Structures are given as C-alpha cells and as structure tokens.
Short mmCIF file of all heavy atoms in Angstrom, two decimals:
data_model
loop_
_atom_site.label_atom_id
_atom_site.label_comp_id
_atom_site.label_asym_id
_atom_site.label_seq_id
_atom_site.Cartn_x
_atom_site.Cartn_y
_atom_site.Cartn_z
N GLY A 1 0.80 -1.22 0.00
CA GLY A 1 0.00 0.00 0.00
C GLY A 1 0.83 1.26 0.00
O GLY A 1 0.33 2.35 -0.31
N LYS A 2 2.10 1.16 0.35
CA LYS A 2 3.01 2.32 0.35
C LYS A 2 3.19 2.79 -1.09
O LYS A 2 3.29 1.99 -2.01
CB LYS A 2 4.34 1.92 0.96
CG LYS A 2 5.35 3.01 1.04
CD LYS A 2 5.33 3.67 2.39
CE LYS A 2 6.53 4.62 2.46
NZ LYS A 2 6.25 5.80 3.17
N VAL A 3 3.23 4.11 -1.27
CA VAL A 3 3.39 4.69 -2.61
C VAL A 3 4.76 5.37 -2.69
O VAL A 3 5.13 6.13 -1.78
CB VAL A 3 2.27 5.69 -2.93
CG1 VAL A 3 2.48 6.35 -4.28
CG2 VAL A 3 0.91 4.99 -2.88
N PHE A 4 5.47 5.08 -3.75
CA PHE A 4 6.80 5.65 -3.97
C PHE A 4 6.87 6.39 -5.29
O PHE A 4 6.16 6.05 -6.23
CB PHE A 4 7.87 4.55 -4.02
CG PHE A 4 8.05 3.82 -2.72
CD1 PHE A 4 7.59 2.54 -2.56
CD2 PHE A 4 8.71 4.43 -1.66
CE1 PHE A 4 7.75 1.87 -1.37
CE2 PHE A 4 8.88 3.77 -0.46
CZ PHE A 4 8.40 2.49 -0.31
N GLU A 5 7.73 7.39 -5.33
CA GLU A 5 8.13 8.01 -6.59
C GLU A 5 9.39 7.28 -7.04
O GLU A 5 10.11 6.70 -6.22
CB GLU A 5 8.45 9.49 -6.39
CG GLU A 5 7.26 10.35 -5.99
CD GLU A 5 6.20 10.42 -7.08
OE1 GLU A 5 6.57 10.50 -8.27
OE2 GLU A 5 5.00 10.41 -6.74
N ALA A 6 9.68 7.31 -8.33
CA ALA A 6 10.92 6.70 -8.82
C ALA A 6 12.10 7.31 -8.09
O ALA A 6 12.18 8.53 -7.94
CB ALA A 6 11.05 6.92 -10.33
N GLY A 7 12.98 6.45 -7.58
CA GLY A 7 14.16 6.92 -6.87
C GLY A 7 14.00 7.02 -5.36
O GLY A 7 14.99 7.24 -4.66
N ASP A 8 12.79 6.84 -4.84
CA ASP A 8 12.59 6.88 -3.39
C ASP A 8 13.18 5.63 -2.74
O ASP A 8 13.11 4.53 -3.30
CB ASP A 8 11.10 6.91 -3.03
CG ASP A 8 10.44 8.25 -3.26
OD1 ASP A 8 11.15 9.24 -3.57
OD2 ASP A 8 9.19 8.31 -3.13
N ALA A 9 13.73 5.79 -1.53
CA ALA A 9 14.19 4.64 -0.76
C ALA A 9 12.97 3.77 -0.44
O ALA A 9 11.94 4.28 0.01
CB ALA A 9 14.88 5.09 0.52
N ALA A 10 13.09 2.47 -0.71
CA ALA A 10 11.95 1.57 -0.56
C ALA A 10 12.33 0.29 0.19
O ALA A 10 11.85 -0.78 -0.11
CB ALA A 10 11.39 1.23 -1.94
N GLY A 11 13.21 0.42 1.15
CA GLY A 11 13.63 -0.73 1.93
C GLY A 11 15.12 -0.71 2.14
O GLY A 11 15.83 0.16 1.63
N VAL A 12 15.60 -1.68 2.91
CA VAL A 12 17.02 -1.78 3.23
C VAL A 12 17.44 -3.24 3.11
O VAL A 12 16.70 -4.14 3.50
CB VAL A 12 17.30 -1.29 4.67
CG1 VAL A 12 18.76 -1.50 5.06
CG2 VAL A 12 16.92 0.18 4.82
N VAL A 13 18.64 -3.42 2.57
CA VAL A 13 19.27 -4.74 2.56
C VAL A 13 20.54 -4.63 3.39
O VAL A 13 21.35 -3.73 3.17
CB VAL A 13 19.61 -5.20 1.12
CG1 VAL A 13 20.43 -6.47 1.13
CG2 VAL A 13 18.34 -5.40 0.30
N GLU A 14 20.68 -5.53 4.37
CA GLU A 14 21.89 -5.54 5.20
C GLU A 14 22.66 -6.81 4.90
O GLU A 14 22.09 -7.89 4.77
CB GLU A 14 21.52 -5.52 6.69
CG GLU A 14 20.90 -4.22 7.13
CD GLU A 14 20.62 -4.19 8.62
OE1 GLU A 14 21.22 -4.98 9.39
OE2 GLU A 14 19.77 -3.37 9.03
N SER A 15 23.98 -6.64 4.82
CA SER A 15 24.86 -7.79 4.61
C SER A 15 25.93 -7.79 5.68
O SER A 15 25.97 -6.91 6.54
CB SER A 15 25.51 -7.69 3.22
OG SER A 15 26.49 -6.67 3.21
N VAL A 16 26.82 -8.75 5.59
CA VAL A 16 27.93 -8.79 6.54
C VAL A 16 28.87 -7.62 6.33
O VAL A 16 29.63 -7.26 7.22
CB VAL A 16 28.71 -10.13 6.44
CG1 VAL A 16 27.82 -11.29 6.87
CG2 VAL A 16 29.25 -10.36 5.04
N LYS A 17 28.81 -6.98 5.16
CA LYS A 17 29.69 -5.85 4.85
C LYS A 17 29.06 -4.49 5.08
O LYS A 17 29.74 -3.55 5.47
CB LYS A 17 30.12 -5.91 3.37
CG LYS A 17 31.00 -7.05 3.00
CD LYS A 17 31.35 -6.94 1.52
CE LYS A 17 32.21 -8.09 1.03
NZ LYS A 17 32.50 -7.95 -0.39
N ALA A 18 27.77 -4.35 4.77
CA ALA A 18 27.15 -3.02 4.78
C ALA A 18 25.64 -3.12 4.80
O ALA A 18 25.07 -4.18 4.55
CB ALA A 18 27.58 -2.25 3.53
N ALA A 19 25.01 -2.00 5.05
CA ALA A 19 23.56 -1.86 4.89
C ALA A 19 23.35 -0.81 3.81
O ALA A 19 24.06 0.20 3.77
CB ALA A 19 22.90 -1.41 6.18
N THR A 20 22.41 -1.06 2.92
CA THR A 20 22.17 -0.12 1.84
C THR A 20 20.68 -0.02 1.56
O THR A 20 19.94 -0.99 1.73
CB THR A 20 22.94 -0.53 0.56
OG1 THR A 20 22.81 0.49 -0.42
CG2 THR A 20 22.42 -1.84 -0.01
N ASP A 21 20.26 1.17 1.16
CA ASP A 21 18.88 1.36 0.77
C ASP A 21 18.62 0.68 -0.56
O ASP A 21 19.50 0.59 -1.41
CB ASP A 21 18.56 2.85 0.62
CG ASP A 21 18.48 3.58 1.95
OD1 ASP A 21 18.09 2.97 2.95
OD2 ASP A 21 18.79 4.78 1.97
N ILE A 22 17.39 0.26 -0.72
CA ILE A 22 16.89 -0.23 -2.00
C ILE A 22 15.95 0.85 -2.49
O ILE A 22 15.15 1.38 -1.73
CB ILE A 22 16.13 -1.56 -1.83
CG1 ILE A 22 17.06 -2.64 -1.28
CG2 ILE A 22 15.48 -2.00 -3.13
CD1 ILE A 22 18.26 -2.93 -2.13
N TYR A 23 16.05 1.20 -3.76
CA TYR A 23 15.25 2.29 -4.32
C TYR A 23 14.20 1.77 -5.29
O TYR A 23 14.43 0.76 -5.97
CB TYR A 23 16.17 3.29 -5.04
CG TYR A 23 17.17 3.91 -4.10
CD1 TYR A 23 18.45 3.39 -3.94
CD2 TYR A 23 16.81 5.00 -3.31
CE1 TYR A 23 19.34 3.94 -3.04
CE2 TYR A 23 17.70 5.57 -2.41
CZ TYR A 23 18.97 5.02 -2.29
OH TYR A 23 19.85 5.57 -1.39
N ALA A 24 13.09 2.47 -5.33
CA ALA A 24 12.04 2.15 -6.29
C ALA A 24 12.52 2.61 -7.67
O ALA A 24 12.76 3.80 -7.86
CB ALA A 24 10.74 2.85 -5.93
N PRO A 25 12.70 1.68 -8.61
CA PRO A 25 13.17 2.09 -9.94
C PRO A 25 12.11 2.85 -10.74
O PRO A 25 12.45 3.61 -11.63
CB PRO A 25 13.54 0.77 -10.61
CG PRO A 25 12.78 -0.27 -9.87
CD PRO A 25 12.57 0.24 -8.49
N VAL A 26 10.86 2.63 -10.39
CA VAL A 26 9.74 3.37 -10.98
C VAL A 26 8.78 3.74 -9.85
O VAL A 26 8.79 3.12 -8.80
CB VAL A 26 8.99 2.55 -12.07
CG1 VAL A 26 9.90 2.21 -13.24
CG2 VAL A 26 8.37 1.29 -11.49
N GLY A 27 7.97 4.74 -10.09
CA GLY A 27 6.99 5.14 -9.09
C GLY A 27 5.78 4.23 -9.12
O GLY A 27 5.47 3.63 -10.15
N GLY A 28 5.11 4.13 -7.98
CA GLY A 28 3.89 3.34 -7.93
C GLY A 28 3.56 2.89 -6.53
O GLY A 28 4.24 3.24 -5.56
N GLU A 29 2.51 2.09 -6.44
CA GLU A 29 2.03 1.56 -5.16
C GLU A 29 2.52 0.12 -4.98
O GLU A 29 2.39 -0.69 -5.89
CB GLU A 29 0.50 1.58 -5.13
CG GLU A 29 -0.08 1.02 -3.85
CD GLU A 29 -1.60 0.98 -3.85
OE1 GLU A 29 -2.22 1.57 -4.75
OE2 GLU A 29 -2.16 0.33 -2.95
N VAL A 30 3.04 -0.17 -3.80
CA VAL A 30 3.49 -1.53 -3.50
C VAL A 30 2.26 -2.43 -3.38
O VAL A 30 1.35 -2.15 -2.59
CB VAL A 30 4.32 -1.57 -2.20
CG1 VAL A 30 4.69 -3.00 -1.83
CG2 VAL A 30 5.56 -0.70 -2.33
#
C-alpha cells in the first residue's frame, strides 16, 4: 500500500559488509 516516486528509498538490505537502501526504480504503489 506504500506509494513511492521513482528513486525513493523503498527498503534496506543488510549484509555482513554493509547496509544499503533499495530504491524504487519506478513510481507506484506496493
């Protein structure tokens, strides 16, 4: 239900090395 514009941070992936944002490549509703 969350709505994003293209390029908005849309989550996080954490690894043993780093945490990084995941971005919405296009805008829309999840």
Side-chain angles (χ1 to χ4, degrees):
K2 181 96 171 143
V3 177
F4 294 106
E5 294 295 322
D8 285 353
V12 175
V13 172
E14 292 183 20
S15 73
V16 295
K17 293 181 182 179
T20 187
D21 287 329
I22 298 301
Y23 299 94
V26 297
E29 179 183 348
V30 176

